[in-house]
Amino acid sequence: MDFVKQHNVPAKEHPQLALEEAVVLGYNVERLRKAQAMSMSRFSQVAGISRPTLYKIESGTSDLKLSMLARIAKALDTTVAALLTPPDARSLSRKTSNARLKALKRLQDC
């Protein structure tokens, strides 16, 4: 159950949820893309999105439509749900930025 439903609070009162979900999505897309040894340019072609859009997604600054999210999941051979699932602390890379780590940890605490 997600945080908003669990705590019976409208999402608009928690603007950080959208940011944290975008950070989780970006982290997972980048991690899975690199695991498949795909460059940003190659993955952009496979997923049918522009390279600047991919950069925004991976940096957690993109607001995207479900159809684009579905294309990304398909290109990574995974599900939309998996892309939106926060990683556990053990799987976080040492290269993960401090801002991304803080957002992921806040999301895990919910």
Side-chain angles (χ1 to χ4, degrees), residues 22 49 65:
I49 58 176
K65 295 180 180 181

Side-chain angles (χ1 to χ4, degrees), residues 31-83:
R31 177 180 56 81
L32 292 169
R33 175 182 62 79
K34 287 180 176 181
Q36 294 182 19
M38 273 197 267
S39 68
M40 289 183 84
S41 296
R42 178 67 184 132
F43 181 74
S44 295
Q45 293 172 346
V46 171
I49 58 176
S50 70
R51 191 170 182 270
T53 297
L54 177 58
Y55 176 80
K56 287 179 183 178
I57 292 166
E58 289 188 358
S59 64
T61 59
S62 180
D63 183 23
L64 47 130
K65 295 180 180 181
L66 185 57
S67 59
M68 184 181 296
L69 189 54
R71 285 197 321 258
I72 291 168
K74 184 177 180 180
L76 291 169
D77 195 29
T78 191
T79 65
V80 170
L83 290 177

Side-chain angles (χ1 to χ4, degrees), residues 2-3 16-25 84-87 100-110:
D2 70 23
F3 178 86
Q16 288 291 71
L17 286 178
L19 170 64
E20 290 167 353
E21 289 169 348
V23 170
V24 167
L25 172 64
L84 295 172
T85 301
R100 190 180 274 183
L101 278 173
K102 287 177 186 175
L104 290 169
K105 287 179 182 175
R106 277 195 311 271
L107 191 59
Q108 289 174 342
D109 292 340
C110 291

Side-chain angles (χ1 to χ4, degrees), residues 77-97:
D77 195 29
T78 191
T79 65
V80 170
L83 290 177
L84 295 172
T85 301
D88 64 5
R90 291 170 289 159
S91 67
L92 296 176
S93 165
R94 290 179 186 234
K95 294 181 180 179
T96 303
S97 72

